[in-house]
């Protein structure tokens, strides 16, 4: 999924974004540069599949369709992972944080809105019953961002 975002940023930096946007009339040279860039960074299986496509806009739209389909599969899995995320399932807070940020990144890529407040609430609600005082102390301090 990050490939699409990275490719779009690189094409922007190279001044080739017009080559992948509808209703634009990029130069032949810009189209060729964009196509070379996209093909160079494609997975080998996709290179073979799109070998005959010579229009960067067509290639981009086909890849975007694949990307959108991946998001349809990724979103439910990320939501499921978020629902089952529990601090006590990890050996360290660092492992928990890493997993939480991985899941929230996937959710954000799929258009879900996850805020620092949501992440803090998720963590606070998972404190063991014996740590309710600790949970309340953290809430009282009004932490507003996850580090």
């Amino acid at each position: 999924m990050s490939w699409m975002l990275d490719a779009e940023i690189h094409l922007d930096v190279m001044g080739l974004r017009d080559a992948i946007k509808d209703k634009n009339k990029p130069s032949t040279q810009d189209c060729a540069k964009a196509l070379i860039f996209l093909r160079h960074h494609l997975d080998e299986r996709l290179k073979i599949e799109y070998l005959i496509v010579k229009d960067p806009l067509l290639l981009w739209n086909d890849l975007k369709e694949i990307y959108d389909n991946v998001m349809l599969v990724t979103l439910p899995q990320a939501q499921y992972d978020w629902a089952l995320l529990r601090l006590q399932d990890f050996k360290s807070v660092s492992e928990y944080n890493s997993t939480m940020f991985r899941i929230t990144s996937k959710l954000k890529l799929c258009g879900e809105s996850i805020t620092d407040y949501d992440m803090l609430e998720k963590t606070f609600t998972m404190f063991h019953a014996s740590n309710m005082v600790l949970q309340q102390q953290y809430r009282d301090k009004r932490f507003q961002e996850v580090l």
Side-chain angles (χ1 to χ4, degrees), residues 12 44 55-56 72 74 81 97 101 103 115-117 134 139:
D12 245 351
E44 286 301 319
D55 181 357
L72 288 174
T74 302
D81 292 344
N97 279 342
F101 284 119
I103 294 169
T115 63
D116 281 346
Y117 176 80
L134 184 60
R139 285 183 196 276

Side-chain angles (χ1 to χ4, degrees), residues 87-125:
L87 184 60
Q88 61 264 30
D89 292 340
F90 296 89
K91 292 180 182 176
S92 69
V93 173
S94 178
E95 282 182 49
Y96 167 78
N97 279 342
S98 178
T99 301
M100 181 175 57
F101 284 119
R102 182 182 49 78
I103 294 169
T104 57
S105 291
K106 284 182 182 180
L107 289 168
K108 288 176 183 178
L109 277 171
C110 293
E112 292 287 306
S113 175
I114 302 292
T115 63
D116 281 346
Y117 176 80
D118 296 328
M119 290 187 279
L120 287 168
E121 279 303 308
K122 180 75 169 171
T123 304
F124 292 157
T125 58

Side-chain angles (χ1 to χ4, degrees), residues 4 61-73:
M4 287 294 281
N61 288 338
D62 285 353
L63 294 173
K64 184 162 177 16
E65 189 175 320
I66 292 169
Y67 170 75
D68 290 342
N69 289 335
V70 167
M71 283 181 32
L72 288 174
V73 173

Side-chain angles (χ1 to χ4, degrees), residues 5 7 10-11 13-14 19 23-25 27 31 35 43 47 71 77-78 83 88 91 95-96 113 115 118 126 140:
L5 300 171
H10 276 74
L11 289 171
V13 168
M14 295 166 34
K23 299 180 181 126
N24 285 334
K25 299 290 181 205
S27 69
C31 283
L35 192 59
D43 179 82
K47 277 184 186 180
M71 283 181 32
Q77 182 62 49
Q88 61 264 30
K91 292 180 182 176
E95 282 182 49
Y96 167 78
S113 175
T115 63
D118 296 328
M126 290 185 297
D140 289 345

